[in-house]
Amino acid sequence: MSSIVSVQGLTKVFPGGLKALKGVDLEIEEGEVLALLGPNGAGKTTLISIICGLTTMSGGRVTVGGHEITRDFRAARELIGLVPQELHVEGFEKVINTVRFTRGLFGKKPDDALIEQILMDLALWDKRNEKIIELSGGMKRRVMIAKALAHEPRVLFLDEPTAGVDVELRQSMWQVMRGLKDRGVTIILTTHYIEEAEAMADRVGVINHGELLLVEETGPLMTRMGRKTLTVDLSAPIDAVPGPLAARGVELGNGGTSLVYTYDTAAEQTGITDLLSDIREAGLHLADLHTRQSSLEDIFVDLVNGSTR
Ligand SMILES: Nc1ncnc2c1ncn2[C@@H]1O[C@H](COP(=O)(O)OP(=O)(O)OP(=O)(O)O)[C@@H](O)[C@H]1O
Ligand SMILES: [Mg+2]
């Protein structure tokens, strides 16, 4: 078995009766980057907290590196680095000390070269002697990542690592994640930024109302579920879509000056050739043609709205 994290039939019912996870199955391969997407309250943090042993499960089984999280917590936890969604750092401690200290908590020997490397990678080396309370929010988040990496975990959980982080810093954090991936670290991140999943993840999981709707490779998911729209600009506006074109599902766009046709990228026949001849037969003149591929965002919205096609 090559999964480093295995989640089987995981359920979580909170004391008030809320079912936050309704039987989640998930196998995570060593070395992959998995992005979990889902709206607020979907269950992402609950799932991560259970895998990391911070929240108890109601039912199911979770192993990390073959260690069952409930029976063999310490061995499992040692393999895990966690950057939680909520920032909580020891405000009056210096950056470098808090990172060193975290390594010590896991019983690892001091390794100043490693700590230096981590702080350099996260652009925190210049701030190493500053008190955490004096840092900006984005810097504090990077300190959290440094702490999570201090004991050299094999699996890193990042719960919304780039929430509230500016575009430039987000790019540099992606760079850090890529570097970790190159070193073989398995990364599970949650995000609301679709472009983050698109840029970073080997696989994407979509979670909603405590259910994992799908887990698929990012590229093939977008090809399989992706649609393209072809927009045909007309040389003169029309009032209504001619019958044969309407029968193909063509809609009027842009105040009657364009025809919009949506098709499946995975279909054998796109129907474009027939569409173009219908346009000609209807006596319409083309001014221009352009296509647009649906993004992961479109796919995500469709899934969460329940129209999985
Ligand atoms: N300690 C708790 N007690 C009761 N209900 C909880 C608790 N923690 C979370 N919940 C509920 O469980 C559900 C899932 O919450 P969770 O934090 O896992 O969502 P999330 O996907 O991480 O959302 P977000 O994107 O906002 O971070 C929500 O309905 C939430 O209100
Ligand atoms: Mg959350």
Side-chain angles (χ1 to χ4, degrees), residues 26-81:
L26 178 61
E27 298 294 323
I28 300 167
E29 301 289 308
E30 176 130 43
E32 75 168 319
V33 178
L34 174 75
L36 289 172
L37 288 172
N40 287 132
K44 303 178 298 294
T45 298
T46 306
L47 174 61
I48 287 182
S49 305
I50 292 173
I51 300 173
C52 297
L54 301 178
T55 301
T56 56
M57 62 180 86
S58 303
R61 187 169 183 269
V62 174
T63 63
V64 179
H67 306 286
E68 212 176 313
I69 198 83
T70 43
R71 284 210 321 233
D72 212 356
F73 172 69
R74 286 187 67 89
R77 186 63 183 85
E78 232 179 79
L79 304 175
I80 295 174

